[in-house]
Amino acid sequence: EAAVTQSPRNKVAVTGGKVTLSCNQTNNHNNMYWYRQDTGHGLRLIHYSYGAGSTEKGDIPDGYKASRPSQENFSLILELATPSQTSVYFCASGGDWGVYAEQFFGPGTRLTVL
Amino acid sequence: GDSVTQTEGPVTLSEGTSLTVNCSYETKQYPTLFWYVQYPGEGPQLLFKVPKANEKGSSRGFEATYNKEATSFHLQKASVQESDSAVYYCALSDHSGGSNYKLTFGKGTLLTVTP
């Protein structure tokens, strides 16, 4: 049974519109992450969270907000979507075992902004 | 900041040939090193991790040795199969504060194995 799920799996949005990507994890991990994946750039960290109520900026946070209302849920919000935000977005969860922990990824959301 | 550089793809190999994907890293810390694999249509998944220098990790016939002196963590497999076709990511861990951490990924290497 999948431990990290994402919804929607595919999304088409219009420029200037608001987009919310959702992530749910059943690993009981404190840490959650949002990445985008683009050809030539690999995986880049957008936002992450240490636990419910916390959000931290990653390496490319501009144009994105994040929300962590509970241990299980972590959302990525594009208030004013732009075509440059067309990408595949991955959510991940990870434990509190310091450098020994691994991250568990969801299946991804393909976002197209027209 | 931390960085990871790996073999630029795409890499195309025939079944039964050997694979090496180079990975070099830069960090001021003493990281754990990871190899992730991403099959088409899926999210990345851990292939293996190595927390200590001079130790080797392995899984599914793939292996890599944590070389602290050379700051390298090259992925190798003696004989690839068509089912190994995927994107491979090298990554290192980074303490972002307290006991929490985040991963820095390389750009990924697309491997295609032909029959």
Side-chain angles (χ1 to χ4, degrees):
Chain A
E1 188 170 338
V4 180
T5 56
Q6 297 181 230
S7 63
R9 293 294 312 278
N10 291 280
K11 173 75 176 177
V12 178
V14 296
T15 298
K18 182 177 181 179
V19 176
T20 300
L21 307 183
S22 299
C23 177
N24 177 275
Q25 57 108 354
T26 57
N27 295 320
N28 198 31
H29 286 153
N30 285 336
N31 304 321
M32 296 186 74
Y33 309 83
W34 275 108
Y35 295 89
R36 62 177 287 175
Q37 182 179 50
D38 304 284
T39 303
H41 292 280
L43 291 163
R44 293 182 289 174
L45 183 65
I46 305 170
H47 284 288
Y48 58 105
S49 168
Y50 296 140
S54 87
T55 59
E56 304 289 336
K57 293 181 178 179
D59 299 323
I60 53 165
D62 293 346
Y64 302 93
K65 292 182 180 179
S67 174
R68 182 87 182 271
S70 65
Q71 176 85 339
E72 298 80 19
N73 296 295
F74 191 37
S75 298
L76 185 67
I77 303 154
L78 291 66
E79 295 277 5
L80 294 170
T82 68
S84 64
Q85 294 175 313
T86 293
S87 185
V88 180
Y89 291 85
F90 288 97
C91 175
S93 74
D96 284 341
W97 308 297
V99 295
Y100 300 100
E102 65 180 273
Q103 291 182 15
F104 297 82
F105 285 80
T109 294
R110 183 173 296 275
L111 173 65
T112 303
V113 182
L114 302 176
Chain B
D2 297 345
S3 67
V4 175
T5 303
Q6 61 181 100
T7 299
E8 283 194 28
V11 173
T12 302
L13 297 174
S14 299
E15 219 168 19
T17 59
S18 64
L19 168 72
T20 297
V21 179
N22 290 329
C23 174
S24 298
Y25 65 90
E26 290 186 23
T27 180
K28 293 182 180 178
Q29 302 185 57
Y30 190 14
T32 291
L33 300 178
F34 301 77
W35 276 104
Y36 277 80
V37 59
Q38 182 181 20
Y39 298 105
E42 299 181 9
Q45 59 183 271
L46 181 70
L47 190 56
F48 55 83
K49 62 187 177 186
V50 180
K52 294 183 180 179
N54 303 318
E55 291 192 350
K56 179 187 290 187
S58 64
S59 176
R60 308 179 204 178
F62 291 89
E63 62 181 29
T65 299
Y66 186 158
N67 188 327
K68 184 172 182 287
E69 288 69 34
T71 62
S72 67
F73 191 53
H74 305 319
L75 181 69
Q76 296 180 311
K77 188 174 186 182
S79 177
V80 296
Q81 301 173 342
E82 199 173 350
S83 58
D84 294 327
S85 297
V87 177
Y88 293 83
Y89 287 98
C90 183
L92 63 81
S93 62
D94 171 28
H95 279 271
S96 57
S99 64
N100 301 297
Y101 78 104
K102 56 188 177 80
L103 296 179
T104 297
F105 286 89
K107 293 184 177 181
T109 302
L110 173 63
L111 170 66
T112 301
V113 180
T114 59

